[in-house]
Amino acid sequence: MAQNLYIDTRGRTQRPVAFTQAVVNGLAQGGGLYVPERIPTLALGDILALADLPYAQRAARIYRAFDIDLPDEVVDALMAQAYGSNFDDERICPVTSLDAQTHVLELWHGPTSAFKDMALQCLPKFFSASAEALRERGQLDHEFLILVATSGDTGKAALEGFKDAPGVRIGVLFPHGGVSDIQRKQMVTQAGENVQVWGVHGNFDACQTGVKNVFSDASFAKRLQDAHAVALSSANSINWGRLMPQIVYYVSAYAELVRAGKVEAGAPIDVCVPTGNFGNILAAWYARRMGTPIDMLLCASNENRVLTDFINTGTYSIAGRPFVLTPSPSMDILVSSNLERQLFELTGRDAQAIRGWMDELRERGAFRVDPETFAAVRASFAADSIDNATCLATIREAFEKHDYLMDPHTAVAYQAAQNLRGENPVLVASTAHWAKFGDNVYRALHGIAPGEPLPAGVAALTGCQLNELIARETGKNDIPAGLSALDRLPVRFEECIDAGTEDIEAAVERFLSA
């Protein structure tokens, strides 16, 4: 079969590009997102056969189905590196069943204890291999700066994945005061000679908007090329290379459920995902499109319920909408970048419609989709939002009922699944280990309201010490080594900058000139 090429959701890229080019570019020309020209389909038998393979080989098979422009043996080798002893469970992302109808896909067994590892242990390896392939073809003559805006977990996972990678430097921006203590420490103590971290005065949307503006600044791109022989690229889920590994674990999880006798072969499941930037749930949609028997996609929002409101009304609006800090900070997002890809697919790949809606969002802070597209949204998605108090209550209830301790993001999805579920079994995406958010897990277990101060003696503990206390109280002595050691690591990065385009660009140039 001919090589699968990648097109632009906004239709501004003149020619489709190969997978390797899409990965190193990150963002398409004119601000659009890359999607493959062809979405492959898998027979049910081929999906179920994945259960007989180690996870790395499952991932390699799905990548090969997309006909990417890297040799099969290279794909196999890169996947073996991405999914091996760097995960604390040889199954990579095991499925834990809470009851006959509720199954939890644990996506946090990687080195940073968050689901972002599932993609960001993979993307850097494919990024480097793609860059090398392009150099060999004479299509590349520069190095890269990966610039990342993070709401908490992506930053650390990207830093860990790209640290000391040849030909690549990485800079991460996070909202100062808008991530957990553990998440902040993970980033500001990051090792590596090619890494930089900045706190940003503002929320995640300010970080993400600033980074997008930097990417679209052609004069800055030329300055980086001329002065540093560097081009910008992305490790956020706007990069197809970040999204594609996420498709794998939904296909894999279905095969696991059938092999374990939890689901009959071919019977549908629903998937519930705690959703902020829409990439994780979009990956489940692509898995469904490829032939995985997934019925409904349940979109779980926290109090920043812009996606729930969109799915329920057809109007996406951030105009005048307050930005709420919640116990699930990785979902504290109002501008959901990957919704653009989903709408592109649901409109039959209408780039003109996408351009119009994205222009409206930028200019008015809102857009409304046409009735046909809204019907397509409702045919695939249901949505609910979980308030802060219910999120914490759910952590406690799930622990008392199932002896299962979950983080606040997983709790949002678990409760939304209970509210939205029909007759199908539900696979709940668990996106972080509970110890990344120990302060709110402690509040949940002790009935302390969201935002209320912890008892003085508890508040004086570091995040690592608090996690040890929770472990003693609950018997959950599974704190990952990478989290328990944070207090012993030196802080390397303390600079805090404004979120304006010029401020970020100046910080980038200081980093590259150091």
Side-chain angles (χ1 to χ4, degrees):
M1 182 178 291
Q3 180 189 119
N4 200 355
L5 298 179
Y6 287 75
I7 57 177
D8 171 9
T9 54
R10 301 188 189 181
R12 291 179 173 138
T13 301
Q14 293 181 348
R15 292 182 301 174
V17 301
F19 170 84
T20 50
Q21 192 70 59
V23 168
V24 300
N25 286 356
L27 196 65
Q29 182 181 353
L33 306 182
Y34 287 115
V35 296
E37 285 187 321
R38 300 189 309 275
I39 307 300
T41 55
L42 301 173
L44 179 62
D46 292 334
I47 292 171
L48 301 182
L50 295 175
D52 298 326
L53 302 174
Y55 188 87
Q57 293 181 29
R58 299 178 192 182
R61 284 204 177 179
I62 291 173
Y63 265 53
R64 287 199 294 271
F66 277 87
D67 299 306
I68 66 175
D69 60 323
L70 289 171
D72 288 353
E73 60 271 19
V74 171
V75 174
D76 291 341
L78 294 176
M79 289 304 186
Q81 296 169 27
Y83 303 112
S85 60
N86 47 336
F87 283 74
D88 65 20
D89 189 305
E90 64 180 8
R91 296 169 295 177
I92 307 301
C93 50
V95 177
T96 296
S97 296
L98 302 186
D99 56 44
Q101 291 290 96
T102 308
H103 311 284
V104 179
L105 177 59
E106 295 180 350
L107 299 170
W108 37 259
H109 288 275
T112 78
S113 306
F115 84 103
K116 305 297 175 72
D117 289 324
M118 295 299 300
L120 284 165
Q121 288 296 294
C122 181
L123 169 61
K125 294 169 177 59
F126 277 85
F127 189 99
S128 295
S130 295
E132 182 59 29
L134 293 173
R135 287 191 184 97
E136 291 176 356
R137 298 170 198 163
Q139 297 174 284
L140 192 66
D141 61 355
H142 55 259
E143 295 188 345
F144 290 92
L145 171 65
I146 307 294
L147 197 60
V148 178
T150 182
S151 56
D153 289 332
T154 293
K156 172 60 179 179
L159 290 162
E160 191 66 23
F162 279 102
K163 71 176 181 183
D164 296 325
V168 177
R169 277 172 280 191
I170 177 168
V172 168
L173 302 97
F174 71 92
H176 181 67
V179 300
S180 77
D181 178 62
I182 290 286
Q183 288 175 312
R184 181 188 63 82
K185 284 180 177 174
Q186 283 188 299
M187 288 185 280
V188 300
T189 61
Q190 176 66 47
E193 296 301 313
N194 64 334
V195 303
Q196 175 66 46
V197 177
W198 300 280
V200 172
H201 299 298
N203 58 36
F204 171 74
D205 285 331
C207 292
Q208 181 168 247
T209 298
V211 168
K212 284 184 175 180
N213 289 340
V214 171
F215 271 94
S216 62
D217 186 345
S219 63
F220 183 63
K222 186 176 187 308
R223 200 156 74 239
L224 291 186
Q225 179 72 48
D226 293 345
H228 304 284
V230 162
L232 290 171
S233 191
S234 172
N236 284 92
S237 56
I238 56 176
N239 190 320
W240 177 260
R242 241 292 298 279
L243 185 69
M244 195 164 159
Q246 297 178 265
I247 299 171
V248 176
Y249 52 69
Y250 290 112
V251 184
S252 171
Y254 186 84
E256 284 284 339
L257 286 168
V258 172
R259 181 174 66 172
K262 304 295 178 65
V263 174
E264 291 186 14
I269 63 171
D270 296 336
V271 173
C272 188
V273 185
T275 310
N277 222 10
F278 211 78
N280 201 358
I281 197 167
L282 173 62
W285 185 89
Y286 277 115
R288 173 189 177 193
R289 173 76 175 271
M290 292 177 71
T292 308
I294 295 171
D295 188 3
M296 291 299 293
L297 299 165
L298 311 179
C299 177
S301 298
N302 61 20
E303 289 191 16
N304 294 294
R305 49 176 293 143
V306 62
L307 285 167
T308 292
D309 290 342
F310 169 71
I311 289 169
N312 289 333
T313 68
T315 296
Y316 191 99
S317 177
I318 61 173
R321 183 184 291 268
F323 185 97
V324 184
L325 295 178
T326 74
S328 48
S330 296
M331 299 162 63
D332 290 348
I333 297 171
L334 296 180
V335 180
S336 298
S337 294
N338 268 292
L339 183 62
E340 177 171 340
R341 277 192 178 104
Q342 186 67 80
L343 292 176
F344 183 71
E345 300 292 0
L346 294 179
T347 58
R349 301 192 152 193
D350 185 343
Q352 182 177 351
I354 299 303
R355 287 197 304 273
W357 291 330
M358 295 304 106
D359 287 346
E360 287 183 56
L361 183 62
R362 185 183 67 254
E363 294 165 5
R364 301 194 301 108
F367 66 87
R368 180 170 181 81
V369 298
D370 60 88
E372 292 77 15
T373 301
F374 182 50
V377 169
R378 296 293 297 168
S380 295
F381 293 92
D384 196 10
S385 65
I386 306 302
D387 64 47
N388 292 347
T390 303
C391 170
L392 297 193
T394 299
I395 293 174
R396 183 173 181 172
E397 291 167 9
F399 178 66
E400 292 174 347
K401 183 176 182 180
H402 299 293
D403 191 33
Y404 191 85
L405 193 55
M406 57 182 59
D407 87 293
H409 304 77
T410 307
V412 166
Y414 175 82
Q415 186 58 50
Q418 307 317 306
N419 296 348
L420 296 169
R421 67 186 313 146
E423 297 182 358
N424 295 331
V426 178
L427 180 70
V428 174
S430 179
T431 55
H433 191 279
W434 65 262
K436 295 200 77 167
F437 306 94
D439 56 346
N440 281 307
V441 170
Y442 186 90
R443 285 188 178 91
L445 296 173
H446 290 267
I448 301 172
E452 289 295 311
L454 297 173
V458 176
L461 300 176
T462 67
C464 296
Q465 292 167 337
L466 179 55
N467 285 339
E468 292 170 0
L469 173 61
I470 295 169
R472 289 195 300 272
E473 291 182 347
T474 61
K476 299 301 180 184
N477 298 303
D478 62 339
I479 301 172
L483 300 185
S484 61
L486 285 173
D487 282 351
R488 300 191 294 273
L489 299 178
V491 172
R492 298 184 62 202
F493 306 104
E494 298 183 272
E495 184 179 7
C496 202
I497 65 174
D498 290 332
T501 305
E502 292 182 0
D503 301 290
I504 297 173
E505 290 178 351
V508 165
E509 294 208 82
R510 290 195 299 273
F511 170 40
L512 294 177
S513 300

